[in-house]
Structures are given as C-alpha cells and as structure tokens.
Amino acid sequence: MLEETFAEAGSWQRALRAQFPIVTAHPDLAYLDSAATSQKPRAVLDAVETYLTTSNANAGRGTYPWANRTTELVERARERVKEFLGDLHPDRSTVHFTSGTTEGLRTVARDWLVPYLADGDEILVPFADHRANLEPWLEARRLLAERGADVRVRALPRQESSGDYDHRALAGMIGPRTRFVAATHVHHVYGGDMNVHRLRAAVGPGVPICLDAAQSVGHLPVDVGDPALDVDFLVFSGHKAMALPGTGAVWARNTRGPALRPEGWRGTPNTVGIVSLLAALDWLDEAGPERIARHLTRLATRLTDRLHRLESYDVLGCPASLASDSELPTAQRRHGIVTFRHRGIPSDDLGFILYSHGFMVRADSLCQAGADERSGSVRVSLHVYNTDEEIDRLLAVLGSLE
C-alpha cells in the first residue's frame, strides 16, 4: 500500500510538472528559487492569452461588453480570493489588489494603521523577517510623528536558534496600549511555520494582527476560517502563487478596528495580473494545496536530512527539524525552503558554482531585515515542479565541495 501511495504521488507530481512550459523546455536546469517567484502553469498562460485576445479593456469605467467583462472578472477574482482563503464571512471582508506583498503591507500601514493609532500607542513588528514586513511599520511611525503622535515600535521577540517567535516572552510584552502586531506566516529564510496560533494566544483576542503570507499562499493550505489563523489582514503575492508578476492582494477581515478603505483615487487595476491570479487559484485548488504542501515538505526534508550530515555546511533555522524523523513538537516544519552556508565558500560564489551545474538558487542576504552582505546564504526554495532527482543532483554537487 505504501509503495502504491508513493507511486500515486509520483504520477501526480509528474503530471503537474508537465504543465509548466518553461520547466519542460529546460530539462537540464533546476529552478530552485520559487520563494522569489513561481513559474506559471499552462492554464494561467492560456487564461492571460485568452483575455488579452478576446476582451481586454479597463475595469469599472466603460459600459461596452469588453469593459463589462473585465469588471466582472475583477469582482469575481475578489470573491475567489475570499473563497480560496476559506473566508467564512465574505460579506464582511474586503480584498484589495496590489502589486505584491510589499505594496500590500504598505497599504495596511499607511491607509489603515496610521489613522488607527494615537499618541502613546505601541505596535509589535518583526525585526528579523523580510524587510517588506518591517519598513512599512517604521514608515507609519514616521508619518505619525509628523502629525505629533509618538508611537512606540517594538520588536517581536524571537528565538535565535530557530528563528521562531518567542511566544512566552511576547505574552509579557502585551500591555493596554498594544494596538497592533505584524507577523510572518512562513519565514522566507528559515522556511519554518511561525506558529500564528501561539501568537494570537499571546497577544489576546482584541489586538489586530497583520500576516505576511507571501511564502504560504500557493504553497500550503491557508484557511482564515480556522481559529488557529485568527488574523485581521492577510497579505500575499500572486506572483509567488503561479500568477503573473506585479500581482498580489490584501484580505481584510474588518472585525477589529475600522474597515480597510485604501485612500486615494483608484486608477487602472492590473487587469491582466488579476485574471492570471483568478486562473492560478483555480489551478492550485485543482492540484490540491494539501498535496502540494506534503510534496514540498518531503523535498525539504530530503534536502535538510542529507545536507546537515555534510560537515562543511550549516543549515539555518530550527535545528530540531534537520532530520527526516523530526516529529518533535518543538520542531518547525520546513515548507519548501532550505537555507544554508558553506563554511569555506562565500555564498555568492557558491551560487555561481551551483548555476554552472544547472541549479538556479538565491545567494545573498535574502532581503532579511538587519542583514547585510556578511549575512549571505544560499536559499533553495521549492515548488510542485521540483523533483527528488533534482534534490539528489544538488546534494551530489554540494557533497563534491566538501
């Protein structure tokens, strides 16, 4: 039965991989940088071509059929995002389309947080996650200071060994003026689940939480209807979830504090990107987010389990999750991201070496807040089109550099 299960999983994965033209066109190259942007399946490319060749028009402006069709597609995409995220109360929530997670977090900071805060309030934000989940909150503090409001920005406490938030320390930091918390769902460097359910338990039921879901949406099931994911804003990049570049969204629950209403004149939306996102969510649902998550976790485990046996390498993140038998409650599950350093070869050099062998990886400071060129590392980030064979070839090259 177990062999049949593996066989079925292999057949499922091969069928999905075959749907990515850029992957099948380059069988000698292994794309291992999906945390930066994912490749696009044929269904998404076809949806974009069909739209551009049959009904391309602006949304919310014209009254002719093409314009009406585009407006309908945009509104359908809003509802599709809610459905994909498991929103149990879509009549209360809103979806605002953006160019990606960075713009989405900045929208929450400027258009919701700044009007919400007052002099003496404090917020807690991550100082060791992606810079996109730090800079907008610092910008909000500057804008408030210009208006005469002094708002304190505090760092979410974290565990150095794993990169996870220190939920016990966090509980002791919450006070009557704590008005907002920003956090990350899956860390873009360590690949670990950041245990949002523990964060909610620590901050209590009344504090709004904004979640950077750039590395979770499209990679694993994300269900805002689950009490374990009781957040108020969820921001993600469509281009990391099979849609086109320049595409993303902010989902707002609108139950704690005022509803999200982005300021300013709404110009022309990225209609092509939104069409691609609509197609991408349909594709992901059909592929199965649970199956995708299992595949990515298995590949990441295969890589970390063997990589940590090589003496020349240090794998970043939770040490308890390095071995294939890591089922301890303290181990962070790695969701398709493995980051490491060679003890003798600089990370940028290692990146060039790996590309010379056909592997496309990220090799730099990975946009991590507080990092600089001395913090360089190599990140392997996976998706459904990646295979065991690619992982084994990568390990063979890394092993030869011992």
Side-chain angles (χ1 to χ4, degrees):
M1 182 63 70
L2 187 61
E3 291 181 357
E4 290 179 357
T5 300
F6 284 142
E8 291 174 359
S11 176
W12 165 83
Q13 192 275 333
R14 286 191 295 272
L16 294 185
R17 178 182 169 89
Q19 297 178 40
F20 290 83
I22 195 172
V23 173
T24 58
H26 301 281
D28 296 330
L29 294 177
Y31 181 75
L32 304 175
D33 196 22
S34 291
T37 195
S38 67
Q39 299 302 337
K40 320 306 176 191
R42 172 56 64 187
V44 171
L45 302 176
D46 287 347
V48 169
E49 182 179 12
T50 297
Y51 169 72
L52 289 176
T53 57
T54 62
S55 58
N56 177 43
N58 212 329
R61 287 160 174 77
T63 57
Y64 50 90
W66 290 1
N68 292 338
R69 170 66 172 162
T70 298
T71 302
E72 290 171 3
L73 284 170
V74 170
E75 293 309 311
R76 189 198 308 169
R78 294 187 202 281
E79 298 308 310
R80 187 68 181 92
V81 169
K82 297 179 185 181
E83 179 184 28
F84 186 81
L85 296 178
D87 188 347
L88 299 178
H89 302 285
D91 56 319
R92 304 177 191 172
S93 64
T94 53
V95 170
H96 174 68
F97 291 116
T98 68
S99 64
T101 303
T102 300
E103 184 193 347
L105 293 170
R106 196 161 183 256
T107 296
V108 176
R110 293 175 63 95
D111 296 343
W112 186 89
L113 187 62
V114 168
Y116 181 64
L117 296 179
D119 186 61
D121 287 341
E122 68 176 28
I123 64 176
L124 289 99
V125 304
F127 274 67
D129 296 357
H130 199 287
R131 291 187 60 170
N133 203 10
L134 174 62
E135 295 296 337
W137 319 120
L138 300 180
E139 181 184 14
R141 179 181 62 183
R142 291 192 295 268
L143 291 173
L144 284 158
E146 293 173 0
R147 304 178 187 185
D150 182 16
V151 171
R152 185 181 183 189
V153 178
R154 305 181 69 185
L156 276 175
R158 61 188 291 266
Q159 303 172 25
E160 289 296 329
S161 61
S162 67
D164 194 9
Y165 301 128
D166 188 335
H167 304 89
R168 293 184 178 86
L170 176 60
M173 297 173 64
I174 304 302
R177 299 305 298 271
T178 304
R179 302 281 280 165
F180 177 82
V181 173
T184 300
H185 197 187
V186 171
H187 201 280
H188 76 292
V189 175
Y190 309 113
D193 186 318
M194 301 299 281
N195 295 302
V196 179
H197 63 289
R198 296 183 197 166
L199 192 149
R200 169 55 72 193
V203 306
V207 179
I209 296 176
C210 178
L211 193 64
D212 173 354
Q215 300 300 341
S216 56
V217 171
H219 298 78
L220 68 153
V222 178
D223 184 0
V224 297
D226 186 339
L229 203 62
D230 182 13
V231 298
D232 301 87
F233 302 96
L234 188 142
V235 187
F236 69 94
S237 297
H239 73 91
K240 298 179 191 288
M242 309 298 183
L244 292 186
T247 309
V250 179
W251 170 87
R253 193 182 297 274
N254 296 331
T255 58
R256 296 179 181 94
L260 174 66
R261 293 186 176 87
E263 297 180 358
W265 172 257
R266 292 192 181 185
T268 298
N270 179 5
T271 55
V272 178
I274 293 170
V275 167
S276 76
L277 180 59
L278 182 59
L281 298 183
D282 288 343
W283 188 91
L284 288 165
D285 259 345
E286 185 173 350
E290 296 85 359
R291 298 187 75 175
I292 292 174
R294 286 197 299 270
H295 177 71
L296 300 187
T297 298
R298 187 180 61 77
L299 289 183
T301 301
R302 188 182 188 94
L303 178 56
T304 55
D305 184 44
R306 302 181 188 184
L307 185 58
H308 91 282
R309 302 177 193 175
L310 302 178
E311 294 183 358
S312 297
Y313 296 89
D314 294 315
V315 182
L316 307 187
C318 180
S321 67
L322 293 180
S324 59
D325 58 355
S326 296
E327 297 297 338
L328 299 173
T330 55
Q332 281 182 294
R333 183 70 67 189
R334 291 174 186 264
H335 291 289
I337 295 175
V338 180
T339 304
F340 55 90
R341 296 191 181 104
H342 192 287
R343 295 177 184 175
I345 303 175
S347 295
D348 53 351
D349 290 344
L350 183 54
F352 283 116
I353 292 171
L354 290 177
Y355 180 71
S356 72
H357 289 275
F359 300 101
M360 292 176 278
V361 299
R362 179 79 177 267
D364 53 33
S365 60
L366 308 180
C367 297
Q368 185 174 17
D372 55 30
E373 62 275 5
R374 296 168 297 177
S375 306
S377 55
V378 173
R379 183 181 67 186
V380 171
S381 52
L382 308 160
H383 221 305
V384 70
Y385 33 75
N386 294 121
T387 66
D388 292 63
E389 186 270 338
E390 290 175 335
I391 297 301
D392 292 344
R393 284 198 291 116
L394 174 65
L395 285 163
V397 173
L398 294 174
S400 71
L401 300 174
E402 277 271 87

